[in-house]
Amino acid sequence: MAILPIIIAPDPKLKKKAEAVKAVDPKTVELMENMLETMYLAPGIGLAAPQIGVLKRVIVLDITKGNGPPDPICMANPEITWCSDDSATHEEGCLSLPEQYDRVTRPAKIRVSFLNKKNVREECEADGLLATCIQHEMDHLTGTLFVDHLSHLKRSIILRKLKKLKKLNAS
Ligand code: NI
């Protein structure tokens, strides 16, 4: 397994659209495992392939945050097949936007269909943090960041902060 560098916003690479995988082959499984290792080390509860510069529809999640045994979830080509009318607001952060948090409103419950590590299509229902996390990671697959759900003002404040931080780290 390998730890991969996470792309930090603002970066045009984070705004690109990811492509579906043809199948979950050994290379995709390796990608999933590397992404999980990278996510756990960060530490984070979700990571999408575009965040490490791979434009494939692959996401990994584990919302246990060290409470109890790890429960990694790997999804390729995830599709939301149903979402609830009621919405929920959660504070979100992102490994590509370090130290930045804000509240985002999304559908409270979803059903998602995806290919698992064995290349078998599965469907699961999620609510609470898991529903938020899946939607957040799936957004990355279309080049959408959580700040894109905020007002223009809030988004530009956060992105300006990150730009400054990047300059600082580079010098
Ligand atoms: Ni994110």
Side-chain angles (χ1 to χ4, degrees):
M1 290 209 272
I3 307 289
L4 308 156
I6 297 171
I7 297 169
I8 306 297
D11 191 310
K13 283 182 226 139
L14 292 172
K15 305 304 295 171
K16 293 206 169 129
K17 229 181 129 182
E19 274 181 17
V21 300
K22 286 197 186 84
V24 179
D25 54 12
K27 237 188 129 182
T28 309
V29 172
E30 194 190 341
L31 171 69
M32 288 167 163
E33 280 169 359
N34 288 340
M35 284 171 61
L36 275 174
E37 201 183 3
T38 303
M39 179 193 82
Y40 283 128
L41 184 80
I45 59 170
L47 188 69
Q51 291 180 274
I52 49 144
V54 176
L55 291 175
K56 294 214 170 116
R57 292 185 59 83
V58 173
I59 63 172
V60 297
L61 320 131
D62 185 341
I63 58 157
T64 57
K65 296 189 222 175
N67 301 316
D71 184 20
I73 305 169
C74 300
M75 297 184 176
N77 301 350
E79 301 294 342
I80 289 176
T81 54
W82 171 84
C83 63
S84 63
D85 290 331
D86 56 320
S87 51
T89 304
H90 291 279
E91 181 155 272
E92 294 188 25
C94 180
L95 292 176
S96 291
L97 293 92
E99 311 287 313
Q100 309 304 316
Y101 304 92
D102 214 324
R103 291 164 68 78
V104 178
T105 301
R106 303 178 184 273
K109 277 186 198 161
I110 57 165
R111 247 199 308 272
V112 60
S113 160
F114 60 95
L115 289 175
N116 66 17
K117 262 175 117 174
K118 290 178 179 148
N119 197 36
V120 175
R121 194 149 279 275
E122 253 187 66
E123 193 169 49
C124 76
E125 206 168 297
D127 61 5
L129 180 60
L130 185 60
T132 292
C133 197
I134 293 171
Q135 292 174 82
H136 173 120
E137 299 315 327
M138 283 185 67
D139 267 356
H140 279 296
L141 306 179
T142 55
T144 305
L145 303 174
F146 84 84
V147 288
D148 295 323
H149 292 281
L150 306 177
S151 68
H152 181 76
L153 180 66
K154 279 185 173 176
R155 178 167 61 246
S156 43
I157 289 171
I158 289 179
L159 291 176
R160 223 179 294 146
K161 266 193 221 161
L162 288 167
K163 226 179 193 170
K164 254 189 219 161
L165 210 78
K166 266 188 163 181
K167 254 191 204 157
L168 259 170
N169 289 340
S171 65

